[in-house]
Amino acid sequence: MSTAAPAVSVIMPVLNEERHLRDSVHHILQQEYEGEMEVVIALGPSGDRTDEIAAELVREDSRVHTVPNPTGRTPAALNAAIKASRHPIVVRVDGHGMLSPDYIATAVRLLEETGAQNVGGIMHAEGENDWERAVAAAMTSKIGVGNAVFHTGGEAGPAETVYLGVFRRAALEQQGGYNEEFIRAQDWELNFRIREAGGLIWFSPELKVQYRPRPSVRALAKQYKDYGRWRHVVARYHQGSINLRYLAPPTALCAIAAGTVVGAALTPLGFVIPGGYLAAIAAGSVPAGRGLPLKARLQIPVALATMHMSWGFGFLTSPRSLAKKVIASRRPAVRASSPDTPLDV
């Protein structure tokens, strides 16, 4: 087997990313990796300067290419970029993700050491202003996201899914890529098929991607509403995938709504429930905000409540018809003939 580092294709689904795209691509091109590399950016119909910035990046570095994604949907973008790429290792990166300097080298090593089909690590949220710092603190705290290891960290080992992912191309091609009906949660669904076919998904805290949080309450609310909506689709798609962590936000939302109605219509005792929730997130914000500026610390409860309530609302209002449509598109897992094929083949 050759000892040369395998060539790598980095794929990026991009839509309205003028703020972070250039920085994100530079983090890729400056990787401490000896193998050949290409970057394929799938461009959705952005309403900002994203296309212009992407064109500049293509002119500046011959390793950068673009492909169109007319639908703007993430899984379609990923499939288009996979099809346009050519190397045996495929690294998924988002337009607002910043890879640590040794991310690709570490991921390739882990693929070889573990025999996994996909490896991933920590979604390390970091903000650039006080609001984003508050969201980052909420997203990396257990009161915000529970025990999700790709948010809060944990020990290396097999996982159901991982953040973004570094794949063997053979695994992507065997499974036919991403299911484009999954507008969100497409990573979970693809990793489910890989696992169902006998492949290994591996989490490692050695892998870290800096993530830029949403810049406003409204954008954060939409993000988490979509998360909750599609998590309910996943629960209907695969009934064994639900657990208490996913049920906590919709349960809290229902309890707070009921308590508020009872408090307003019957007895002030009903306000104990929403009051208790507010006290809990205020208390949880103290350790989460340690070391942050005062203005950022004061906004953490707002970020937590936005995340919890929006996720819960999305989960509760997720239409059964959406799940039926997605279930109808279910692809059977394709078992790999040799999951530990060397990376340079």
Side-chain angles (χ1 to χ4, degrees):
M1 183 178 67
S2 171
T3 57
V8 168
S9 296
V10 182
I11 59 172
M12 301 182 71
V14 168
L15 181 68
N16 294 323
E17 290 287 2
E18 68 172 1
R19 184 178 173 193
H20 299 301
L21 179 59
R22 176 172 289 277
D23 197 15
S24 181
V25 171
H26 282 172
H27 275 74
I28 298 167
L29 298 176
Q30 295 167 6
Q31 285 287 295
E32 298 167 359
Y33 186 66
E34 296 179 355
E36 184 181 351
M37 185 189 307
E38 66 174 351
V39 181
V40 182
I41 304 172
L43 293 171
S46 296
D48 59 11
R49 294 183 58 252
T50 295
D51 287 12
E52 181 182 336
I53 294 168
E56 292 171 357
L57 291 166
V58 170
R59 290 194 295 269
E60 292 165 7
D61 197 304
S62 62
R63 293 173 292 176
V64 181
H65 315 280
T66 61
V67 293
N69 173 35
T71 70
R73 293 181 171 184
T74 299
L78 292 166
N79 284 341
I82 291 167
K83 185 177 180 180
S85 66
R86 55 197 174 91
H87 294 320
I89 304 299
V90 178
V91 180
R92 176 183 171 177
V93 182
D94 286 340
H96 45 270
M98 313 293 161
L99 301 185
S100 55
D102 63 346
Y103 181 88
I104 291 177
T106 301
V108 170
R109 172 177 59 80
L110 289 170
L111 283 172
E112 189 67 59
E113 289 177 353
T114 64
Q117 302 299 299
N118 180 21
V119 299
I122 295 174
M123 177 182 176
H124 185 66
E126 289 186 354
E128 297 179 323
N129 55 45
D130 286 328
W131 164 250
E132 291 179 2
R133 293 185 189 103
V135 176
M139 292 180 70
T140 53
S141 67
K142 289 192 174 182
I143 192 172
V145 294
N147 61 350
V149 292
F150 68 83
H151 282 293
T152 61
E155 294 184 2
E160 285 191 356
T161 191
V162 290
Y163 179 55
L164 300 179
V166 178
F167 298 84
R168 299 174 188 262
R169 174 179 292 278
L172 293 173
E173 292 179 345
Q174 283 157 354
Q175 301 307 326
Y178 290 84
N179 184 335
E180 296 186 13
E181 292 296 336
F182 274 81
I183 308 306
R184 298 286 184 272
Q186 63 274 156
D187 298 297
W188 180 93
E189 193 277 337
L190 174 59
N191 285 320
F192 173 74
R193 280 186 282 133
I194 291 173
R195 289 187 292 106
E196 201 173 37
L200 174 66
I201 310 300
W202 188 265
F203 166 82
S204 174
E206 292 183 75
L207 297 172
K208 184 179 290 187
V209 180
Q210 293 179 9
Y211 170 86
R212 298 293 186 252
R214 296 297 193 269
S216 67
V217 173
R218 182 177 180 179
L220 182 67
K222 182 182 185 306
Q223 178 187 16
Y224 271 78
K225 184 193 75 172
D226 288 345
Y227 282 172
R229 175 187 177 97
W230 281 91
R231 185 62 232 189
H232 204 163
V233 171
V234 167
R236 287 166 170 157
Y237 181 93
H238 178 47
Q239 294 183 357
S241 68
I242 201 69
N243 60 42
L244 292 177
R245 178 167 71 89
Y246 298 125
L247 294 176
T251 300
L253 178 59
C254 290
I256 290 168
T260 301
V261 170
V262 169
L266 299 175
T267 171
L269 290 176
F271 291 120
V272 169
I273 297 174
Y277 171 77
L278 292 175
I281 61 173
S285 297
V286 175
R290 195 169 288 125
L292 293 181
L294 177 61
K295 189 175 179 180
R297 294 201 305 270
L298 292 175
Q299 294 182 83
I300 294 175
V302 178
L304 287 170
T306 301
M307 290 162 56
H308 294 162
M309 298 300 102
S310 300
W311 204 103
F313 179 79
F315 189 93
L316 291 170
T317 59
S318 181
R320 191 174 294 274
S321 59
L322 178 59
K324 288 180 178 178
K325 180 182 179 183
V326 168
I327 291 169
S329 73
R330 188 192 298 267
R331 299 179 182 177
V334 179
R335 184 166 293 275
S337 57
S338 55
D340 54 352
T341 300
L343 298 181
D344 56 345
V345 172

